[in-house]
Amino acid sequence: MSKREKVVKGAIGELRFISELCDFCGCCVAVCPVDCIELEESRLTLDMNSCIYCGNCPKACPVGALVGDAA
Amino acid sequence: MIRDSYDVIVVGGGPGGAVSAWFAARGGASVLLLEKDRDIGIPVRCAEAIGQGGLQGILEPDPHFIAHEINSLRFIAPDGTRIDIQQTDEVGYMLNRRIFDQELGRKAASAGAQIITHAYVSGLIKNSDSIRGVKVRFPAAEKEIRAKIVIGADGVESRVGRWAGLRTFYAPKDLESCYQVVLGGITVDKNLISLYFGNEVAPGGYAWVFPKGDDIANVGIGVSAAMIDGINAKKHLDQFIERHFPKASILACVSGGVPSAKPFKKIHGSGIMLVGDAAAHASPLTGGGISNAIAAGRLAGEIAAKCIADGSWNEKDLSVYTRMWDKRWGDNQRRLYRLKETVFKLSDDVFNKAAAVLVSIPTEERSIKKIIATTLKNNPKILLELARTFF
């Protein structure tokens, strides 16, 4: 993690998961700084109690299955 | 029959995991490999190209898993200028990853490793300072299995490293968010792979056309996760296909993340090693990761077997893995990372100017080396930017 790209808590206000679009590729898991996403074969689970709404996973999702709404 | 304990448990059945399991088993360790998906090799989240050197000492090239050879590269600048390079000295292969991965799994199994699919590792068993095994979810059961050493080869979405306390997650700028389709109904030169650059095409990345035959290709796009601005990888690829292959059929599609990161500081701990995309081993510049994962897997497997034979696998014993990996590949990875930081920040204008100079080199004299030399001579701005990458 470089100095220029800090994890910002609450950078987004809401996180929506549109499960129909998800391809279970794991991009979101790779960029989650608090490890709150679990990916099994065809199941993605978000632990919203741990989520810090940093906005990394909507950036990384190749298919728009994770959407961050404005803070 | 699954036992309650093994010397080595490998998490993930891609090339890095299979080769780790193979060489650990060959060195005499009892090995269990756990794959979360139903099949080794499926789904294929990969563009399937590998340099010839990547197979050396692992598998003999075999038409069973090699679609064909690659002998030319084409770079396409933002303005459409094509720069072709005939690769005479190093040949690459287009793989059939489904078969290739199965082949590596078969080698691991023949060496004595036990492989189980549909086995999701949901956590690690730890005591105060070391890893003692894994928690596994099977379709109809859960189980704790002990191991002296766990090798995390669980891909870019790795959690094994984090559970072990290693810092392994990717900053968005160090992850290429990718979408790929298998296109049919097209006409391509099967021995030529093409890479398209430009901020419109793929901000912070590139689009690729990797043929698997004269009428079929893996066509994909990777964009830097930090540079996605409302247009995700899939949308970028839709635009690309509409422009270049409007009549093609889509035979398959897949999304995925490709690491483009600096090496992690530490890829081992007490009773744990990380391999492949789980350890940022892919090339930060090209995203190519198969040969790197295989090489690291072999190293990790051999070290695991030796530590088991010697009877000690603590943090210090396994530190040789991080150290040897860094000695062999660390400097190159750091150089490629600096190069990536430069190349993907070039403006389309600078890119186009460089391309204009490069097409003036006669085709038969083009090589990667010559191209870099000419670029430097003719374009001081790139010279400056490239120079920064080497220091």
Side-chain angles (χ1 to χ4, degrees):
Chain A
M1 198 100 217
S2 80
K3 281 174 194 152
R4 280 171 296 147
E5 202 179 17
K6 283 252 164 66
V7 175
V8 181
K9 284 188 188 181
I12 56 170
E14 279 301 325
L15 179 66
R16 281 183 292 134
F17 175 49
I18 307 163
S19 59
E20 298 78 20
L21 296 178
C22 181
D23 189 33
F24 312 102
C25 71
C27 281
C28 52
V29 184
V31 296
C32 178
V34 292
D35 193 25
C36 76
I37 310 175
E38 182 166 271
L39 169 69
E40 280 184 62
E41 188 175 27
S42 301
R43 194 171 74 185
L44 192 80
T45 317
L46 297 160
D47 173 7
M48 296 317 288
N49 291 323
S50 313
C51 177
I52 57 165
Y53 299 90
C54 69
N56 276 2
C57 58
K59 284 185 196 165
C61 181
V63 293
L66 284 157
V67 182
D69 295 324
Chain B
M1 183 68 195
I2 306 170
R3 301 183 350 217
D4 291 330
S5 83
Y6 293 80
D7 291 331
V8 178
I9 290 180
V10 180
V11 184
V19 172
S20 301
W22 172 7
F23 282 87
R26 196 168 87 161
S30 65
V31 180
L32 175 68
L33 186 158
L34 299 166
E35 163 57 45
K36 78 172 160 45
D37 287 336
R38 277 158 229 256
D39 299 84
I40 299 286
I42 302 175
V44 175
R45 289 192 198 279
C46 181
E48 302 186 276
I50 187 171
Q52 189 188 36
L55 298 180
Q56 255 166 26
I58 296 290
L59 291 176
E60 287 300 315
D62 184 335
H64 194 49
F65 57 77
I66 291 174
H68 52 80
E69 287 189 352
I70 301 162
N71 56 32
S72 324
L73 288 172
R74 172 175 291 166
F75 295 95
I76 295 98
D79 67 1
T81 305
R82 296 168 167 187
I83 305 147
D84 287 358
I85 304 171
Q86 305 285 335
Q87 292 283 88
T88 46
D89 44 353
E90 196 189 330
V91 183
Y93 299 118
M94 277 302 291
L95 297 172
N96 285 315
R97 275 288 302 272
R98 286 179 185 209
I99 304 168
F100 181 72
D101 286 25
Q102 288 260 336
E103 197 64 24
L104 292 175
R106 176 178 164 185
K107 287 280 186 188
S110 291
Q114 188 176 354
I115 300 177
I116 299 187
T117 64
H118 230 168
Y120 175 73
V121 171
S122 63
L124 296 176
I125 309 166
K126 297 195 260 190
N127 70 358
S128 57
D129 60 347
S130 74
I131 308 304
R132 291 297 165 93
V134 300
K135 296 169 188 168
V136 196
R137 256 183 239 151
F138 301 105
E142 295 193 21
K143 189 172 166 70
E144 292 199 350
I145 309 175
R146 305 235 151 216
K148 293 163 183 164
I149 297 173
V150 173
I151 297 179
D154 50 335
V156 66
E157 70 271 36
S158 174
R159 299 176 77 202
V160 168
R162 301 189 202 197
W163 291 331
L166 299 170
R167 190 178 171 80
T168 63
F169 84 97
Y170 291 99
K173 75 183 183 71
D174 291 336
L175 185 85
E176 294 289 316
S177 176
C178 304
Y179 198 79
Q180 177 179 274
V181 295
V182 179
L183 279 193
I186 57 175
T187 307
V188 286
D189 171 357
K190 72 173 180 184
N191 302 116
L192 169 82
I193 61 173
S194 304
L195 307 173
Y196 294 73
F197 294 86
N199 286 312
E200 296 266 311
V201 181
Y206 61 88
W208 61 86
V209 177
F210 287 9
K212 294 198 76 179
D214 292 326
D215 57 359
I216 185 168
N218 290 335
V219 178
I221 218 156
V223 294
S224 166
M227 291 168 81
I228 288 181
D229 197 12
I231 307 178
N232 57 44
K234 183 178 187 304
K235 285 184 188 164
H236 274 289
L237 186 62
D238 288 344
Q239 291 171 5
F240 181 82
I241 291 170
E242 188 55 41
R243 189 170 158 199
H244 295 277
F245 304 101
K247 291 178 179 161
S249 291
I250 294 175
L251 307 183
C253 53
V254 73
S255 54
V258 174
S260 60
K262 273 186 283 219
F264 294 145
K265 285 205 174 69
K266 209 174 150 206
I267 51 174
H268 78 279
S270 187
I272 180 131
M273 290 182 275
L274 302 176
V275 162
D277 282 359
H281 286 163
S283 159
L285 182 64
T286 67
I290 309 167
S291 32
N292 300 15
I294 287 174
R298 179 174 186 161
L299 180 63
E302 286 173 346
I303 289 170
K306 182 168 189 309
C307 287
I308 298 296
D310 293 347
S312 180
W313 43 85
N314 61 29
E315 207 271 337
K316 193 164 164 288
D317 298 313
L318 296 182
S319 68
V320 67
Y321 174 60
T322 297
R323 216 164 49 240
M324 283 182 74
W325 184 90
D326 199 76
K327 197 176 159 200
R328 287 187 196 173
W329 302 296
D331 284 347
N332 191 45
Q333 290 288 96
R334 282 182 282 273
R335 187 177 62 81
L336 291 172
Y337 184 79
R338 290 194 295 272
L339 211 49
K340 165 206 124 168
E341 294 264 275
T342 303
V343 169
F344 292 133
K345 276 179 195 147
L346 292 179
S347 70
D348 285 0
D349 191 42
V350 173
F351 226 115
N352 290 334
K353 279 182 184 153
V357 172
L358 295 175
V359 286
S360 67
I361 308 173
T363 316
E364 61 275 14
E365 286 176 31
R366 278 180 210 159
S367 66
I368 298 280
K369 255 187 199 163
K370 174 100 179 174
I371 284 196
I372 290 175
T374 310
T375 310
L376 298 186
K377 206 169 91 190
N378 288 283
N379 197 320
K381 193 174 172 205
I382 292 192
L383 171 65
L384 201 68
E385 283 171 351
L386 275 178
R388 280 195 213 115
T389 68
F390 291 101
F391 303 107

